[in-house]
């Protein structure tokens, strides 16, 4: 039986943390980690390992679901358990998810960023976010799979979130 491994790294910050020093500090945060249980855990009858790192200011940031169609859905992604392909859905588009590639014995890294308003203490503020997803399908578990090689595909959906910052 094959195992889908999903590693999610979330970097979050607010408007006050957009200085050059803050940007450098976030750049030093790794984009890949070894797989250690916990925090990693199995889901969907041990067909998938989830390993989440980084910020989660609001709590429960990433939700996971095993659809009736046999696919795994999380955040902006769909992983087909039949053909082991990962697809990305651009939140700014009504288009169907874009297939990025096969996860069979090769890992794919996907990055995107966004911002959204948060209501806290009767005040709204911008929460900025950069998400990195490392994904692979293996027949045998490897705790250093994302550290021992480079990704086969790097897919990015990075936008300029603050046009005033130039």
């Amino acid at each position: 039986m094959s195992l889908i491994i999903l590693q999610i790294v979330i970097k979050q910050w607010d408007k006050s943390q957009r200085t050059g020093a803050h940007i450098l500090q976030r750049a030093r945060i790794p984009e890949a980690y070894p797989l250690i249980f916990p925090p990693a855990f199995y889901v969907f009858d041990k067909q998938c390992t989830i390993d989440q790192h980084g910020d989660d200011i609001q709590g429960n940031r990433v939700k996971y679901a095993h659809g009736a169609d046999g696919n795994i859905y999380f955040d902006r992604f769909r992983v087909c358990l039949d053909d082991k392909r990962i697809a990305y859905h651009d939140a700014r588009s009504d288009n169907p998810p874009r297939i990025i590639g096969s996860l069979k014995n090769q890992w794919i890294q996907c990055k995107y960023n966004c911002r959204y308003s948060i209501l806290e203490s009767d005040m709204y503020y911008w929460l900025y976010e950069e998400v990195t997803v490392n994904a692979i399908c293996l027949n045998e578990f490897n705790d250093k799979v994302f550290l021992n090689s480079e990704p086969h595909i790097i897919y990015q959906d990075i936008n300029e979130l603050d046009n005033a910052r130039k």
Side-chain angles (χ1 to χ4, degrees):
M1 183 170 96
S2 58
L3 174 67
I4 301 285
I5 300 173
L6 303 172
Q7 185 174 77
I8 299 102
V9 180
I10 302 172
K11 301 175 190 177
Q12 294 177 329
W13 63 97
D14 64 36
K15 197 169 186 173
S16 70
Q17 298 167 315
R18 297 176 303 151
T19 67
H22 288 107
I23 292 168
L24 287 173
Q25 183 180 14
R26 283 190 297 277
R28 288 192 288 267
I29 297 171
E31 294 180 341
Y33 292 86
L35 298 164
I36 300 170
F37 290 85
F41 57 94
Y42 290 107
V43 292
F44 313 128
D45 295 325
K46 293 193 173 186
Q47 295 180 56
C48 182
T49 299
I50 306 290
D51 185 36
Q52 184 173 325
H53 297 268
D55 302 317
D56 193 356
I57 292 169
Q58 297 299 107
N60 258 346
R61 165 59 187 82
V62 180
K63 309 242 185 309
Y64 312 94
H66 191 192
D69 57 3
N71 294 327
I72 294 173
Y73 295 90
F74 68 101
D75 208 33
R76 297 184 182 183
F77 298 92
R78 178 189 72 209
V79 177
C80 179
L81 290 177
D82 290 336
D83 63 10
K84 312 300 188 259
R85 293 189 305 169
I86 189 168
Y88 173 80
H89 185 266
D90 182 348
R92 297 164 293 149
S93 168
D94 289 334
N95 295 330
R98 179 183 184 277
I99 294 173
I100 299 182
S102 172
L103 299 175
K104 292 179 187 175
N105 297 312
Q106 61 187 14
W107 69 282
I108 294 176
Q109 184 175 77
C110 305
K111 294 181 186 186
Y112 71 89
N113 64 354
C114 61
R115 72 176 181 178
Y116 42 93
S117 63
I118 299 294
L119 176 62
E120 190 174 278
S121 302
D122 294 327
M123 297 185 70
Y124 283 96
Y125 70 93
W126 284 116
L127 183 64
Y128 297 83
E129 185 173 81
E130 179 182 297
V131 177
T132 301
V133 173
N134 301 318
I136 192 167
C137 179
L138 295 174
N139 291 325
E140 188 174 304
F141 183 79
N142 176 348
D143 65 338
K144 293 183 177 50
V145 66
F146 300 123
L147 301 177
N148 291 338
S149 64
E150 295 297 316
H152 181 70
I153 296 172
I154 298 176
Y155 177 82
Q156 294 191 50
D157 184 16
I158 303 293
N159 303 295
E160 178 62 43
L161 297 177
D162 184 7
N163 293 329
R165 179 185 56 145
K166 293 193 185 225

